[in-house]
Amino acid sequence: MSIGVGAESGTTMPLRVAIYDVEPYGGKGSDGLFDGASVELWRRVAEDCHWPYQLTLISRLDDLLSGLEAHRYDVGIGAITITSERLTRVDFSYPTHRSGVAAVFAKRTGAASAFHDYGTAAGELGILIGAIFILLAIIGVLMWWFERPHAGKDGSTETASSVTSWHEGVYWAVVTMTTVGYGDKTPKTHLGRALAVLWMVGSLVLVSLLTTNLIARITVSRVEGIIANRTGDLTGKRLVAVSGSSGAEYLDDQRLAYQKFDNLPDALGAVASGKADAVVNSIGALQYLVRTRFADRLDPPHGVLAPAYMAFALPMNSELKRPLDRALTVVSANPEWRSVEDTYFGQ
């Protein structure tokens, strides 16, 4: 319990403020004092409104919301995302932090990672690869057509070329495109040689186009990690989320199965140890914990599954809402507060 005393005369009962224990929004530091982005913001708001208050740390969000419903607390602060489900239980203030639901995956290393990145990149270039195979078949058939044996005057077939069937034509097209150049299948007619020249030049363009696109996609994948910005990116993955969190509510809405954890560090630890594939949670908390505790084992979140905002939670029809909104508008617009916020979330 921590008490902050305001200067307003006549105020005898301090506000009961519940902090949802999720870094970097709220918690207790090594010195035993309450800290976090939401705690810092609340202190400025309380000072602006001259409100005395008591701070209580709550480990489970559902306990905090239930306490607000039962009027055991006057305000709930921390990593509390505004969602439609929570709006049926409590009221919310002016938004305090920009947020959103995101996913974190384990870092991929070794040969398995390389094959995975290559397969993913090849899958993204499916249209180009399919077009190349179609062109190989067309060029092969055309080469056979130009080089096919012709009937002589005596009824016998005559040919000087070694491309005597359509599958030999396709074989020649593949060998030529890959610049292997065995020389065992060569065109002899003028039309066949003209087609060969066109295909040699065209093959250089196609191969360079395919190679540069593959390298670019693999490089982006290695630099950015796995990007999850739609529900389909989570399909088939072993998912985990914190009970009652915005990530859990998102997965429930999308009807995706997941394992529940009591806190975010344990959920991230399950992914880091290979027991799960991804954690779904608010992006700010994920970024902070990955950077400070799991930087060597987890990739930071890339992409947002569902944008959202965080706010202070209030009991329904609370008289604090109007003065709280006014104070939040003033404090959050102050450049000094933005510099403080950057110390928790970065630029």
Side-chain angles (χ1 to χ4, degrees), residues 40-60:
E40 294 285 349
L41 180 58
W42 169 257
R43 285 174 175 150
R44 285 164 172 73
V45 167
E47 181 180 355
D48 182 81
C49 295
H50 306 292
W51 287 335
Y53 57 89
Q54 295 176 328
L55 299 177
T56 304
L57 198 63
I58 306 296
S59 60
R60 296 181 69 252

Side-chain angles (χ1 to χ4, degrees), residues 141-170:
V141 171
L142 283 176
M143 180 57 69
W144 163 69
W145 183 260
F146 294 151
E147 296 289 308
R148 70 190 189 281
H150 296 281
K153 294 182 179 180
D154 58 355
S156 62
T157 57
E158 298 177 353
T159 182
S161 174
S162 55
V163 183
T164 58
S165 64
W166 67 267
H167 49 83
E168 288 182 343
V170 172

Side-chain angles (χ1 to χ4, degrees), residues 34 45 89 96 123 135 137 149 151 153 157 159 181-182 190 200 220 234 239 250 262 268 276 291-294:
F34 293 106
V45 167
R89 304 178 62 185
T96 56
L135 277 174
K153 294 182 179 180
T157 57
T159 182
Y182 288 128
H190 295 302
M200 290 173 191
V220 169
L234 302 178
L239 306 175
Y250 173 82
D262 291 332
L268 290 168
R291 184 177 72 248
T292 57
R293 300 191 193 182
F294 298 93

